[in-house]
Amino acid sequence: MKKFSTLLCFVLFVSGIMAQDFLQGAHTFSSKKDSYLYLKDGTEVVGRIHDIDRKKGLIEEITLKVDGDKQKYEPEAIDYMYLMPSGFDNFASTYTSFYDLTELEKDRTMNEGLIKEGYVLFETTDVMIKKKKRTLLLQLVNPGYQSKIRVYFDPYAKESSSLGIGGFKVAGGHAKSYYMKKGDAVAYKLTDKIYKKDWKNIYKECRGIEKSFKGKMRWSEFSKHVIHFTSECNN
């Protein structure tokens, strides 16, 4: 127990220094905690997860147990939902969530209480996948500053090098891709290579943004760029 406590303190210390401002993406979810689904017809559904069907890591259908009955929901029927990560995913999401939540109250879909408890928010959005538009449920990783650009977790994203202890990744490891949605446009997969070529177009309304980052728009600071674009650029 003493060794574990020491390791935990070290993890929290290192993560506080190295963690990104985006929330970490979750892969698995608790069947012992309530999930909250908000359907497009205005219905709220509260239940426990029974099953989640995925294709290439993305949710295609979720089944909840509601009052003893199994109910299936596809992305087209869901507006947004809150799920609790399970196991180590829950721990990872909690220790990296040191970010500004001041904008949450501006968006009616944001539940600050659930997010602070460790829940992650999924939204249904149209996404371009290999020149085909699909409707998918994606986890929002910038819930505190999403008003202009919404960034979503890519379950298959590769990562840069990270710090590991005892077989677990505890810090670092910048994701090399996300799904990004600017304004009302269709979301698309944004990789580190695409970002190097396209960042000027992404922030075209924010002249001189690169000056705030000393002329170097590094992919590793993507989250900081989004924060700056949201909070500092009024166009």
Side-chain angles (χ1 to χ4, degrees):
M1 180 61 70
K2 184 177 180 180
K3 290 183 178 180
F4 177 77
S5 298
T6 301
L7 173 61
L8 178 59
C9 290
F10 178 74
V11 167
L12 292 172
F13 172 75
V14 173
S15 65
I17 297 173
M18 300 180 66
Q20 299 181 69
D21 293 302
F22 290 148
L23 290 178
Q24 285 196 0
H27 294 273
T28 58
F29 304 94
S30 175
S31 60
K32 298 180 180 179
K33 294 279 189 178
D34 284 339
S35 296
Y36 301 86
L37 274 62
Y38 298 86
L39 308 185
K40 290 184 176 179
D41 65 5
T43 303
E44 177 184 357
V45 181
V46 181
R48 302 289 173 91
I49 294 175
H50 174 73
D51 188 34
I52 296 179
D53 291 333
R54 295 180 172 90
K55 185 175 182 179
K56 294 185 177 180
L58 301 175
I59 296 175
E60 287 201 318
E61 184 180 80
I62 181 169
T63 303
L64 296 186
K65 281 188 176 180
V66 182
D67 296 327
D69 296 326
K70 297 176 185 178
Q71 299 181 12
K72 296 183 179 181
Y73 300 93
E74 296 181 350
E76 289 79 4
I78 301 170
D79 189 5
Y80 58 98
M81 65 183 184
Y82 289 92
L83 306 182
M84 173 64 78
S86 61
F88 190 75
D89 276 337
N90 193 353
F91 172 69
S93 294
T94 300
Y95 81 70
T96 57
S97 59
F98 304 130
Y99 58 95
D100 185 8
L101 295 174
T102 57
E103 285 209 354
L104 290 179
E105 61 186 20
K106 299 178 183 179
D107 192 324
R108 65 175 181 80
T109 67
M110 298 294 168
N111 188 313
E112 182 178 352
L114 289 178
I115 290 176
K116 285 186 174 180
E117 283 181 35
Y119 279 84
V120 294
L121 170 62
F122 280 79
E123 297 180 333
T124 297
T125 187
D126 289 334
V127 187
M128 291 302 299
I129 305 289
K130 295 183 177 180
K131 298 182 179 181
K132 183 178 180 181
K133 186 166 70 174
R134 297 180 58 193
T135 301
L136 300 171
L137 279 163
L138 299 176
Q139 182 192 336
L140 187 72
V141 295
N142 66 325
Y145 42 94
Q146 76 297 329
S147 59
K148 296 180 181 179
I149 292 178
R150 305 178 96 85
V151 183
Y152 300 102
F153 174 55
D154 176 9
Y156 275 11
K158 294 180 180 180
E159 293 188 348
S160 60
S161 59
S162 60
L163 173 64
I165 298 176
F168 290 102
K169 185 191 76 174
V170 298
H174 297 289
K176 292 188 175 182
S177 64
Y178 292 97
Y179 290 100
M180 190 195 81
K181 177 184 177 77
K182 183 178 178 182
D184 295 326
V186 175
Y188 66 96
K189 188 170 183 175
L190 182 66
T191 66
D192 53 347
K193 293 181 179 180
I194 293 175
Y195 190 69
K196 289 179 182 179
K197 300 176 181 179
D198 204 36
W199 68 262
K200 289 184 179 180
N201 182 54
I202 294 172
Y203 309 116
K204 61 184 178 182
E205 301 90 346
C206 191
R207 295 179 181 178
I209 185 174
E210 71 274 16
K211 292 182 181 179
S212 299
F213 296 92
K214 300 180 180 179
K216 297 180 180 180
M217 299 293 284
R218 298 185 180 91
W219 172 255
S220 60
E221 296 185 306
F222 175 39
S223 62
K224 294 179 176 60
H225 302 161
V226 175
I227 293 173
H228 181 88
F229 183 65
T230 301
S231 60
E232 302 297 331
C233 298
N234 298 319
N235 294 333

mmCIF file of all heavy atoms in Angstrom, residues 114-148:
data_model
loop_
_atom_site.group_PDB
_atom_site.id
_atom_site.type_symbol
_atom_site.label_atom_id
_atom_site.label_comp_id
_atom_site.label_asym_id
_atom_site.label_seq_id
_atom_site.Cartn_x
_atom_site.Cartn_y
_atom_site.Cartn_z
ATOM 1 N N LEU A 114 -21.476 16.334 -13.561
ATOM 2 C CA LEU A 114 -21.133 15.002 -14.065
ATOM 3 C C LEU A 114 -19.696 14.946 -14.558
ATOM 4 O O LEU A 114 -18.984 13.964 -14.322
ATOM 5 C CB LEU A 114 -22.092 14.598 -15.189
ATOM 6 C CG LEU A 114 -23.529 14.264 -14.776
ATOM 7 C CD1 LEU A 114 -24.375 13.918 -15.999
ATOM 8 C CD2 LEU A 114 -23.562 13.097 -13.779
ATOM 9 N N ILE A 115 -19.249 16.000 -15.246
ATOM 10 C CA ILE A 115 -17.881 16.019 -15.756
ATOM 11 C C ILE A 115 -16.882 15.999 -14.601
ATOM 12 O O ILE A 115 -15.879 15.294 -14.640
ATOM 13 C CB ILE A 115 -17.658 17.247 -16.665
ATOM 14 C CG1 ILE A 115 -18.451 17.062 -17.968
ATOM 15 C CG2 ILE A 115 -16.177 17.433 -16.986
ATOM 16 C CD1 ILE A 115 -18.392 18.238 -18.904
ATOM 17 N N LYS A 116 -17.155 16.757 -13.542
ATOM 18 C CA LYS A 116 -16.247 16.771 -12.391
ATOM 19 C C LYS A 116 -16.255 15.442 -11.647
ATOM 20 O O LYS A 116 -15.288 15.095 -10.981
ATOM 21 C CB LYS A 116 -16.626 17.924 -11.452
ATOM 22 C CG LYS A 116 -16.212 19.292 -11.984
ATOM 23 C CD LYS A 116 -16.471 20.399 -10.974
ATOM 24 C CE LYS A 116 -15.916 21.721 -11.459
ATOM 25 N NZ LYS A 116 -16.142 22.821 -10.500
ATOM 26 N N GLU A 117 -17.364 14.687 -11.774
ATOM 27 C CA GLU A 117 -17.420 13.353 -11.161
ATOM 28 C C GLU A 117 -16.582 12.349 -11.937
ATOM 29 O O GLU A 117 -16.274 11.269 -11.436
ATOM 30 C CB GLU A 117 -18.866 12.852 -11.116
ATOM 31 C CG GLU A 117 -19.718 13.470 -10.024
ATOM 32 C CD GLU A 117 -21.128 12.904 -10.014
ATOM 33 O OE1 GLU A 117 -21.279 11.695 -10.316
ATOM 34 O OE2 GLU A 117 -22.064 13.650 -9.739
ATOM 35 N N GLY A 118 -16.203 12.694 -13.163
ATOM 36 C CA GLY A 118 -15.406 11.781 -13.978
ATOM 37 C C GLY A 118 -16.111 11.274 -15.211
ATOM 38 O O GLY A 118 -15.537 10.505 -15.983
ATOM 39 N N TYR A 119 -17.383 11.675 -15.412
ATOM 40 C CA TYR A 119 -18.113 11.261 -16.610
ATOM 41 C C TYR A 119 -17.498 11.919 -17.843
ATOM 42 O O TYR A 119 -16.945 13.012 -17.770
ATOM 43 C CB TYR A 119 -19.586 11.668 -16.517
ATOM 44 C CG TYR A 119 -20.444 10.733 -15.703
ATOM 45 C CD1 TYR A 119 -20.521 10.852 -14.314
ATOM 46 C CD2 TYR A 119 -21.194 9.735 -16.312
ATOM 47 C CE1 TYR A 119 -21.307 10.004 -13.562
ATOM 48 C CE2 TYR A 119 -21.998 8.881 -15.575
ATOM 49 C CZ TYR A 119 -22.053 9.016 -14.202
ATOM 50 O OH TYR A 119 -22.840 8.165 -13.457
ATOM 51 N N VAL A 120 -17.611 11.221 -18.978
ATOM 52 C CA VAL A 120 -17.179 11.795 -20.250
ATOM 53 C C VAL A 120 -18.414 12.033 -21.117
ATOM 54 O O VAL A 120 -19.415 11.324 -21.019
ATOM 55 C CB VAL A 120 -16.171 10.894 -20.985
ATOM 56 C CG1 VAL A 120 -14.876 10.806 -20.202
ATOM 57 C CG2 VAL A 120 -16.740 9.511 -21.245
ATOM 58 N N LEU A 121 -18.327 13.062 -21.956
ATOM 59 C CA LEU A 121 -19.453 13.478 -22.780
ATOM 60 C C LEU A 121 -19.275 13.011 -24.221
ATOM 61 O O LEU A 121 -18.234 13.255 -24.836
ATOM 62 C CB LEU A 121 -19.574 15.002 -22.750
ATOM 63 C CG LEU A 121 -20.544 15.656 -23.743
ATOM 64 C CD1 LEU A 121 -21.979 15.201 -23.503
ATOM 65 C CD2 LEU A 121 -20.443 17.174 -23.668
ATOM 66 N N PHE A 122 -20.287 12.328 -24.733
ATOM 67 C CA PHE A 122 -20.331 11.947 -26.142
ATOM 68 C C PHE A 122 -21.388 12.778 -26.843
ATOM 69 O O PHE A 122 -22.459 13.025 -26.298
ATOM 70 C CB PHE A 122 -20.679 10.463 -26.296
ATOM 71 C CG PHE A 122 -19.532 9.521 -26.075
ATOM 72 C CD1 PHE A 122 -19.124 9.202 -24.790
ATOM 73 C CD2 PHE A 122 -18.858 8.960 -27.149
ATOM 74 C CE1 PHE A 122 -18.066 8.334 -24.574
ATOM 75 C CE2 PHE A 122 -17.798 8.081 -26.949
ATOM 76 C CZ PHE A 122 -17.401 7.775 -25.663
ATOM 77 N N GLU A 123 -21.084 13.183 -28.074
ATOM 78 C CA GLU A 123 -22.038 13.920 -28.884
ATOM 79 C C GLU A 123 -22.232 13.204 -30.214
ATOM 80 O O GLU A 123 -21.293 12.609 -30.754
ATOM 81 C CB GLU A 123 -21.538 15.340 -29.161
ATOM 82 C CG GLU A 123 -21.373 16.191 -27.924
ATOM 83 C CD GLU A 123 -20.866 17.588 -28.245
ATOM 84 O OE1 GLU A 123 -20.177 17.751 -29.273
ATOM 85 O OE2 GLU A 123 -21.162 18.503 -27.462
ATOM 86 N N THR A 124 -23.434 13.281 -30.742
ATOM 87 C CA THR A 124 -23.680 12.754 -32.079
ATOM 88 C C THR A 124 -23.382 13.841 -33.097
ATOM 89 O O THR A 124 -23.865 14.972 -32.982
ATOM 90 C CB THR A 124 -25.143 12.303 -32.234
ATOM 91 O OG1 THR A 124 -25.386 11.230 -31.312
ATOM 92 C CG2 THR A 124 -25.411 11.808 -33.644
ATOM 93 N N THR A 125 -22.560 13.528 -34.072
ATOM 94 C CA THR A 125 -22.193 14.510 -35.090
ATOM 95 C C THR A 125 -21.904 13.814 -36.403
ATOM 96 O O THR A 125 -21.584 12.627 -36.439
ATOM 97 C CB THR A 125 -20.947 15.312 -34.635
ATOM 98 O OG1 THR A 125 -20.696 16.368 -35.561
ATOM 99 C CG2 THR A 125 -19.721 14.430 -34.539
ATOM 100 N N ASP A 126 -22.026 14.556 -37.501
ATOM 101 C CA ASP A 126 -21.668 14.034 -38.816
ATOM 102 C C ASP A 126 -20.159 14.111 -38.979
ATOM 103 O O ASP A 126 -19.527 15.120 -38.630
ATOM 104 C CB ASP A 126 -22.342 14.840 -39.928
ATOM 105 C CG ASP A 126 -23.844 14.586 -39.995
ATOM 106 O OD1 ASP A 126 -24.269 13.497 -39.574
ATOM 107 O OD2 ASP A 126 -24.582 15.468 -40.464
ATOM 108 N N VAL A 127 -19.569 13.035 -39.500
ATOM 109 C CA VAL A 127 -18.124 12.933 -39.656
ATOM 110 C C VAL A 127 -17.797 12.404 -41.054
ATOM 111 O O VAL A 127 -18.444 11.478 -41.536
ATOM 112 C CB VAL A 127 -17.508 11.974 -38.609
ATOM 113 C CG1 VAL A 127 -15.988 12.015 -38.679
ATOM 114 C CG2 VAL A 127 -17.983 12.306 -37.214
ATOM 115 N N MET A 128 -16.802 12.994 -41.682
ATOM 116 C CA MET A 128 -16.327 12.481 -42.959
ATOM 117 C C MET A 128 -15.325 11.359 -42.704
ATOM 118 O O MET A 128 -14.285 11.576 -42.076
ATOM 119 C CB MET A 128 -15.665 13.587 -43.783
ATOM 120 C CG MET A 128 -16.621 14.650 -44.291
ATOM 121 S SD MET A 128 -17.969 13.995 -45.336
ATOM 122 C CE MET A 128 -17.035 13.265 -46.686
ATOM 123 N N ILE A 129 -15.661 10.162 -43.144
ATOM 124 C CA ILE A 129 -14.780 9.004 -43.027
ATOM 125 C C ILE A 129 -14.496 8.497 -44.434
ATOM 126 O O ILE A 129 -15.360 7.921 -45.088
ATOM 127 C CB ILE A 129 -15.412 7.876 -42.188
ATOM 128 C CG1 ILE A 129 -15.830 8.385 -40.811
ATOM 129 C CG2 ILE A 129 -14.457 6.685 -42.084
ATOM 130 C CD1 ILE A 129 -14.694 8.695 -39.885
ATOM 131 N N LYS A 130 -13.277 8.736 -44.921
ATOM 132 C CA LYS A 130 -12.884 8.318 -46.267
ATOM 133 C C LYS A 130 -13.897 8.766 -47.317
ATOM 134 O O LYS A 130 -14.448 7.954 -48.071
ATOM 135 C CB LYS A 130 -12.694 6.797 -46.319
ATOM 136 C CG LYS A 130 -11.535 6.303 -45.458
ATOM 137 C CD LYS A 130 -11.342 4.805 -45.593
ATOM 138 C CE LYS A 130 -10.139 4.339 -44.783
ATOM 139 N NZ LYS A 130 -9.923 2.872 -44.888
ATOM 140 N N LYS A 131 -14.172 10.056 -47.340
ATOM 141 C CA LYS A 131 -15.044 10.708 -48.326
ATOM 142 C C LYS A 131 -16.517 10.321 -48.194
ATOM 143 O O LYS A 131 -17.332 10.645 -49.046
ATOM 144 C CB LYS A 131 -14.568 10.419 -49.748
ATOM 145 C CG LYS A 131 -13.163 10.954 -50.044
ATOM 146 C CD LYS A 131 -12.774 10.679 -51.481
ATOM 147 C CE LYS A 131 -11.366 11.240 -51.760
ATOM 148 N NZ LYS A 131 -10.964 11.015 -53.169
ATOM 149 N N LYS A 132 -16.851 9.630 -47.093
ATOM 150 C CA LYS A 132 -18.240 9.268 -46.840
ATOM 151 C C LYS A 132 -18.698 9.884 -45.526
ATOM 152 O O LYS A 132 -18.018 9.753 -44.503
ATOM 153 C CB LYS A 132 -18.402 7.738 -46.784
ATOM 154 C CG LYS A 132 -19.846 7.287 -46.600
ATOM 155 C CD LYS A 132 -19.934 5.766 -46.603
ATOM 156 C CE LYS A 132 -21.374 5.299 -46.423
ATOM 157 N NZ LYS A 132 -21.481 3.815 -46.410
ATOM 158 N N LYS A 133 -19.844 10.570 -45.540
ATOM 159 C CA LYS A 133 -20.348 11.192 -44.319
ATOM 160 C C LYS A 133 -21.124 10.185 -43.491
ATOM 161 O O LYS A 133 -22.040 9.537 -43.989
ATOM 162 C CB LYS A 133 -21.234 12.395 -44.661
ATOM 163 C CG LYS A 133 -21.674 13.192 -43.439
ATOM 164 C CD LYS A 133 -22.251 14.539 -43.811
ATOM 165 C CE LYS A 133 -23.585 14.419 -44.499
ATOM 166 N NZ LYS A 133 -24.211 15.744 -44.724
ATOM 167 N N ARG A 134 -20.744 10.063 -42.231
ATOM 168 C CA ARG A 134 -21.414 9.140 -41.316
ATOM 169 C C ARG A 134 -21.846 9.887 -40.057
ATOM 170 O O ARG A 134 -21.244 10.896 -39.679
ATOM 171 C CB ARG A 134 -20.480 7.987 -40.928
ATOM 172 C CG ARG A 134 -20.049 7.097 -42.073
ATOM 173 C CD ARG A 134 -19.138 6.008 -41.592
ATOM 174 N NE ARG A 134 -19.766 5.189 -40.571
ATOM 175 C CZ ARG A 134 -19.104 4.322 -39.794
ATOM 176 N NH1 ARG A 134 -17.797 4.178 -39.915
ATOM 177 N NH2 ARG A 134 -19.751 3.616 -38.880
ATOM 178 N N THR A 135 -22.891 9.381 -39.409
ATOM 179 C CA THR A 135 -23.354 9.937 -38.135
ATOM 180 C C THR A 135 -22.807 9.064 -37.019
ATOM 181 O O THR A 135 -23.109 7.870 -36.952
ATOM 182 C CB THR A 135 -24.892 9.971 -38.077
ATOM 183 O OG1 THR A 135 -25.382 10.765 -39.153
ATOM 184 C CG2 THR A 135 -25.361 10.581 -36.758
ATOM 185 N N LEU A 136 -21.995 9.667 -36.131
ATOM 186 C CA LEU A 136 -21.295 8.897 -35.112
ATOM 187 C C LEU A 136 -21.386 9.567 -33.747
ATOM 188 O O LEU A 136 -21.637 10.768 -33.633
ATOM 189 C CB LEU A 136 -19.817 8.754 -35.487
ATOM 190 C CG LEU A 136 -19.489 8.054 -36.799
ATOM 191 C CD1 LEU A 136 -18.002 8.194 -37.112
ATOM 192 C CD2 LEU A 136 -19.872 6.579 -36.741
ATOM 193 N N LEU A 137 -21.170 8.759 -32.721
ATOM 194 C CA LEU A 137 -21.050 9.255 -31.355
ATOM 195 C C LEU A 137 -19.576 9.390 -31.031
ATOM 196 O O LEU A 137 -18.830 8.413 -31.084
ATOM 197 C CB LEU A 137 -21.708 8.275 -30.371
ATOM 198 C CG LEU A 137 -23.221 8.362 -30.215
ATOM 199 C CD1 LEU A 137 -23.760 7.094 -29.556
ATOM 200 C CD2 LEU A 137 -23.602 9.581 -29.382
ATOM 201 N N LEU A 138 -19.143 10.617 -30.706
ATOM 202 C CA LEU A 138 -17.735 10.861 -30.429
ATOM 203 C C LEU A 138 -17.574 11.529 -29.074
ATOM 204 O O LEU A 138 -18.402 12.346 -28.666
ATOM 205 C CB LEU A 138 -17.137 11.764 -31.508
ATOM 206 C CG LEU A 138 -17.155 11.246 -32.946
ATOM 207 C CD1 LEU A 138 -16.603 12.310 -33.891
ATOM 208 C CD2 LEU A 138 -16.348 9.968 -33.079
ATOM 209 N N GLN A 139 -16.481 11.183 -28.386
ATOM 210 C CA GLN A 139 -16.215 11.776 -27.078
ATOM 211 C C GLN A 139 -15.568 13.146 -27.227
ATOM 212 O O GLN A 139 -14.502 13.297 -27.835
ATOM 213 C CB GLN A 139 -15.289 10.890 -26.253
ATOM 214 C CG GLN A 139 -15.024 11.474 -24.855
ATOM 215 C CD GLN A 139 -13.897 10.789 -24.120
ATOM 216 O OE1 GLN A 139 -13.586 9.627 -24.400
ATOM 217 N NE2 GLN A 139 -13.273 11.494 -23.191
ATOM 218 N N LEU A 140 -16.200 14.159 -26.639
ATOM 219 C CA LEU A 140 -15.659 15.520 -26.649
ATOM 220 C C LEU A 140 -14.529 15.619 -25.619
ATOM 221 O O LEU A 140 -14.714 15.287 -24.454
ATOM 222 C CB LEU A 140 -16.764 16.519 -26.304
ATOM 223 C CG LEU A 140 -16.413 17.999 -26.422
ATOM 224 C CD1 LEU A 140 -16.285 18.406 -27.887
ATOM 225 C CD2 LEU A 140 -17.472 18.852 -25.723
ATOM 226 N N VAL A 141 -13.356 16.086 -26.050
ATOM 227 C CA VAL A 141 -12.219 16.158 -25.131
ATOM 228 C C VAL A 141 -11.856 17.592 -24.736
ATOM 229 O O VAL A 141 -10.905 17.796 -23.974
ATOM 230 C CB VAL A 141 -10.970 15.445 -25.718
ATOM 231 C CG1 VAL A 141 -11.227 13.959 -25.873
ATOM 232 C CG2 VAL A 141 -10.541 16.076 -27.040
ATOM 233 N N ASN A 142 -12.622 18.572 -25.233
ATOM 234 C CA ASN A 142 -12.379 19.964 -24.798
ATOM 235 C C ASN A 142 -13.677 20.608 -24.306
ATOM 236 O O ASN A 142 -14.086 21.660 -24.795
ATOM 237 C CB ASN A 142 -11.752 20.792 -25.920
ATOM 238 C CG ASN A 142 -12.687 20.987 -27.117
ATOM 239 O OD1 ASN A 142 -13.476 20.113 -27.469
ATOM 240 N ND2 ASN A 142 -12.603 22.142 -27.763
ATOM 241 N N PRO A 143 -14.338 20.001 -23.307
ATOM 242 C CA PRO A 143 -15.642 20.506 -22.864
ATOM 243 C C PRO A 143 -15.619 21.874 -22.202
ATOM 244 O O PRO A 143 -16.665 22.480 -22.017
ATOM 245 C CB PRO A 143 -16.117 19.433 -21.880
ATOM 246 C CG PRO A 143 -14.863 18.812 -21.364
ATOM 247 C CD PRO A 143 -13.937 18.800 -22.542
ATOM 248 N N GLY A 144 -14.461 22.398 -21.854
ATOM 249 C CA GLY A 144 -14.410 23.709 -21.219
ATOM 250 C C GLY A 144 -14.260 24.864 -22.193
ATOM 251 O O GLY A 144 -14.393 26.019 -21.807
ATOM 252 N N TYR A 145 -13.976 24.550 -23.459
ATOM 253 C CA TYR A 145 -13.727 25.624 -24.429
ATOM 254 C C TYR A 145 -14.047 25.121 -25.838
ATOM 255 O O TYR A 145 -13.217 25.116 -26.741
ATOM 256 C CB TYR A 145 -12.273 26.108 -24.342
ATOM 257 C CG TYR A 145 -11.248 25.005 -24.196
ATOM 258 C CD1 TYR A 145 -10.612 24.463 -25.312
ATOM 259 C CD2 TYR A 145 -10.925 24.493 -22.946
ATOM 260 C CE1 TYR A 145 -9.688 23.456 -25.190
ATOM 261 C CE2 TYR A 145 -9.992 23.475 -22.812
ATOM 262 C CZ TYR A 145 -9.375 22.962 -23.937
ATOM 263 O OH TYR A 145 -8.454 21.956 -23.807
ATOM 264 N N GLN A 146 -15.310 24.730 -26.019
ATOM 265 C CA GLN A 146 -15.751 24.067 -27.239
ATOM 266 C C GLN A 146 -16.610 24.942 -28.143
ATOM 267 O O GLN A 146 -17.127 24.470 -29.146
ATOM 268 C CB GLN A 146 -16.533 22.796 -26.874
ATOM 269 C CG GLN A 146 -17.954 23.026 -26.358
ATOM 270 C CD GLN A 146 -18.038 23.799 -25.067
ATOM 271 O OE1 GLN A 146 -17.142 23.700 -24.240
ATOM 272 N NE2 GLN A 146 -19.090 24.576 -24.890
ATOM 273 N N SER A 147 -16.759 26.222 -27.818
ATOM 274 C CA SER A 147 -17.737 27.054 -28.514
ATOM 275 C C SER A 147 -17.403 27.298 -29.991
ATOM 276 O O SER A 147 -18.314 27.498 -30.801
ATOM 277 C CB SER A 147 -17.903 28.397 -27.793
ATOM 278 O OG SER A 147 -16.676 29.091 -27.734
ATOM 279 N N LYS A 148 -16.126 27.285 -30.356
ATOM 280 C CA LYS A 148 -15.743 27.517 -31.747
ATOM 281 C C LYS A 148 -15.236 26.266 -32.444
ATOM 282 O O LYS A 148 -15.506 26.048 -33.624
ATOM 283 C CB LYS A 148 -14.679 28.622 -31.818
ATOM 284 C CG LYS A 148 -15.162 29.982 -31.357
ATOM 285 C CD LYS A 148 -14.059 31.018 -31.447
ATOM 286 C CE LYS A 148 -14.541 32.378 -30.967
ATOM 287 N NZ LYS A 148 -13.452 33.401 -31.018
#
